[in-house]
């Protein structure tokens, strides 16, 4: 199977997330990078949106899910996002998600995680 990638880089969302009491009272910035592993051959031949994964739909879903969430850990949010994408986007065979929490550690540009999930 061909492994092509549709990517979403720097998707910025504000969310209530964190383990400390003060974190549960404010929205903090999160930044997602998402690689969607799929087969783009049919879409490249048909030039039809129905034959690919719509990155706007995925982006809108990630934003909505993140804004509505109230997790303590970014690990939990990342897993929820992956599960949602895999369950709603049949063309996505796997995804790699990078989740940055840029304001979490003042001395660091950003902290975060990378996870990879597949069907």
């Amino acid at each position: 199977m061909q492994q092509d990638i549709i990517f979403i880089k720097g998707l910025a969302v504000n969310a209530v997330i964190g383990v400390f009491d003060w974190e549960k009272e404010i929205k903090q910035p999160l930044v997602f990078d998402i690689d969607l592993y799929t087969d783009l051959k049919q879409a490249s031949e048909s030039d039809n949106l129905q034959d690919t994964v719509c990155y706007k739909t995925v982006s809108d879903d990630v934003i909505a899910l993140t804004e509505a969430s109230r997790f303590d850990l970014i690990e939990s949010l990342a897993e929820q996002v992956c599960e949602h994408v895999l369950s709603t986007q049949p063309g996505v065979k796997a995804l790699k998600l990078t989740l940055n929490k840029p304001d979490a550690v003042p001395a660091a540009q950003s902290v975060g995680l990378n996870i990879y999930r597949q069907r």
Side-chain angles (χ1 to χ4, degrees), residues 85-97:
V85 171
L86 289 173
S87 70
T88 61
Q89 298 296 323
V92 175
K93 304 305 179 204
L95 71 145
K96 177 186 172 195
L97 183 142

Side-chain angles (χ1 to χ4, degrees), residues 12-119:
V13 186
N14 290 317
V16 176
I17 191 160
V19 297
F20 301 110
D21 288 341
W22 65 268
E23 289 181 297
K24 297 177 189 311
E25 302 297 322
I26 64 167
K27 289 189 174 189
Q28 298 181 68
L30 300 174
V31 181
F32 293 85
D33 292 333
I34 306 169
D35 290 338
L36 305 164
Y37 294 81
T38 188
D39 185 344
L40 298 176
K41 183 73 171 150
Q42 185 174 350
S44 70
E45 293 172 351
S46 71
D47 198 30
N48 187 330
L49 180 61
Q50 302 298 359
D51 294 331
T52 191
V53 177
C54 179
Y55 48 79
K56 176 153 181 5
T57 299
V58 173
S59 297
D60 289 347
D61 286 355
V62 171
I63 291 168
L65 193 151
T66 302
E67 288 179 341
S69 71
R70 297 292 185 267
F71 290 107
D72 287 349
L73 301 177
I74 60 173
E75 290 86 345
S76 300
L77 174 59
E79 189 67 36
Q80 183 79 25
V81 167
C82 288
E83 288 176 10
H84 177 79
V85 171
L86 289 173
S87 70
T88 61
Q89 298 296 323
V92 175
K93 304 305 179 204
L95 71 145
K96 177 186 172 195
L97 183 142
T98 300
L99 177 51
N100 292 279
K101 192 175 179 187
D103 293 348
V105 177
Q109 181 180 4
S110 190
V111 298
L113 56 83
N114 292 307
I115 62 174
Y116 177 86
R117 297 293 182 264
Q118 64 186 30
R119 293 187 186 279

